[in-house]
Amino acid sequence: MGLSSFFKNLFGSTKESATELANSTESTLEQAKEAAAPYIEKVETFAEETIDKVKEVSEPIIDRASEYADKAKETVTEYAEKATEAVSDVIDTVKEKAAALTSDESPKVVTETVVDASEIGDEDDGKA
């Protein structure tokens, strides 16, 4: 029986040690939470303040960017309208020229017959 009581004492003391360790860990964890609470609050406050400052600083920049975007849109629209007009003018001119070339009135071709004077003289000699 000496051996069984040895194991009972050994494992019994291990069980008690594990329970004590778990209790100690739980207590330490609670203390760590309590100690960290003020720091967590400070970090939360710092984060909120930083976000507010970023919003303040970025708001005018965003407004200016929006204004520039609006101006760019107006400029692009203006030039797009001018380009559309120019392209329309070119298309109209091309249509007019194409219509003139394909109209029923075909250009008159003038031909002239040129007579070589030396041939006329030779013909007279042979006839007479």
Side-chain angles (χ1 to χ4, degrees):
M1 285 216 186
L3 189 58
S4 65
S5 48
F6 169 75
F7 283 120
K8 281 185 183 178
N9 288 337
L10 178 66
F11 289 120
S13 66
T14 304
K15 183 179 177 182
E16 290 172 10
S17 295
T19 305
E20 288 175 15
L21 181 62
N23 290 339
S24 174
T25 303
E26 188 176 331
S27 173
T28 304
L29 183 60
E30 288 298 319
Q31 289 174 357
K33 284 182 182 179
E34 289 174 10
Y39 296 111
I40 292 172
E41 289 176 19
K42 287 180 182 180
V43 168
E44 288 174 347
T45 303
F46 177 76
E48 288 173 3
E49 290 173 357
T50 303
I51 289 171
D52 290 340
K53 286 179 184 177
V54 168
K55 284 180 181 178
E56 273 182 46
V57 170
S58 65
E59 190 172 323
I61 296 170
I62 291 171
D63 289 343
R64 278 189 251 141
S66 177
E67 289 173 15
Y68 286 125
D70 290 340
K71 287 179 184 178
K73 182 180 176 183
E74 290 173 12
T75 303
V76 167
T77 303
E78 178 183 332
Y79 285 110
E81 290 172 4
K82 289 180 181 179
T84 303
E85 289 175 18
V87 169
S88 293
D89 291 344
V90 168
I91 290 172
D92 291 341
T93 303
V94 168
K95 283 181 180 178
E96 289 172 8
K97 291 190 180 193
L101 290 174
T102 60
S103 68
D104 291 337
E105 297 178 22
S106 38
K108 296 181 181 179
V109 177
V110 178
T111 59
E112 293 183 20
T113 306
V114 179
V115 178
D116 190 2
S118 63
E119 291 178 5
I120 296 175
D122 291 336
E123 290 177 6
D124 289 338
D125 289 339
K127 291 182 183 178

